[in-house]
Amino acid sequence: MTASEGADISAAGLAAVFAEADAGLSAREAAIARGEALPLTGTVEAMIALTQRLVAAYVAAAGVKAPPAADADILEVFKVLVKGEPTWNAIRDNCRELVYYRNCINMGRRDALPKVPEKMAVRTARHVYLYIKTRCIREGRLAD
């Protein structure tokens, strides 16, 4: 599922996006639980991409707004989601946190990151996943 797939996403397609996101998150959470080190850059980029897919899938499933462009940055994707619906601000800081991690990495400022940024990135993405999934369940877009 890409952000540019249009506003017509089926319930099965939305469920597939959530299943794929859950599998990716679960694999990283299991690795963390086993004490494995996750690659910082790869983990942060994967969590940003996962978050973008979830937001884009929600926008497409809702069918009210035009989905964000496929090449849109995570913050641009989030702006599409939140415009006219301030309740989505509940995950705004999570999106910004992931961008902050990426910016620190790109600027060579890993010292400005929390102690375990790869774990925090996974937990942040899990929070976004749960928030959007819960919203989809409440709206009847996904089964519980």
Side-chain angles (χ1 to χ4, degrees):
M1 157 76 197
T2 63
S4 63
E5 284 186 352
D8 249 351
I9 184 171
S10 67
L14 184 62
V17 170
F18 275 90
E20 179 184 327
D22 186 44
L25 287 164
S26 294
R28 286 177 177 83
E29 290 164 339
I32 290 168
R34 290 189 301 268
E36 296 175 17
L38 299 176
L40 177 58
T41 302
T43 300
V44 169
E45 290 301 327
M47 296 303 96
I48 288 172
L50 181 146
T51 300
Q52 286 175 274
R53 280 193 304 277
L54 289 173
V55 171
Y58 177 85
V59 170
V64 176
K65 303 172 185 174
D71 62 347
D73 181 75
I74 185 172
L75 295 178
E76 293 172 24
V77 172
F78 178 75
K79 284 179 187 176
V80 170
L81 180 67
V82 77
K83 188 171 184 169
E85 292 188 57
T87 58
W88 286 107
N89 280 322
I91 59 170
R92 176 188 62 208
D93 288 341
N94 299 114
C95 296
R96 288 180 175 171
E97 182 178 353
L98 292 171
V99 171
Y100 173 77
Y101 291 174
R102 180 178 59 193
N103 290 344
C104 286
I105 292 166
N106 291 342
M107 294 185 318
R109 290 294 317 271
R110 292 182 184 213
D111 62 306
L113 293 169
K115 279 192 179 224
V116 285
E118 60 283 346
K119 291 179 188 178
M120 292 302 296
V122 173
R123 289 182 179 140
T124 298
R126 176 60 82 179
H127 177 259
V128 171
Y129 167 89
L130 291 171
Y131 186 87
I132 297 174
K133 183 172 184 183
T134 300
R135 180 115 175 207
C136 287
I137 291 168
R138 280 193 323 232
E139 293 173 353
R141 297 182 201 292
L142 285 175
D144 191 5

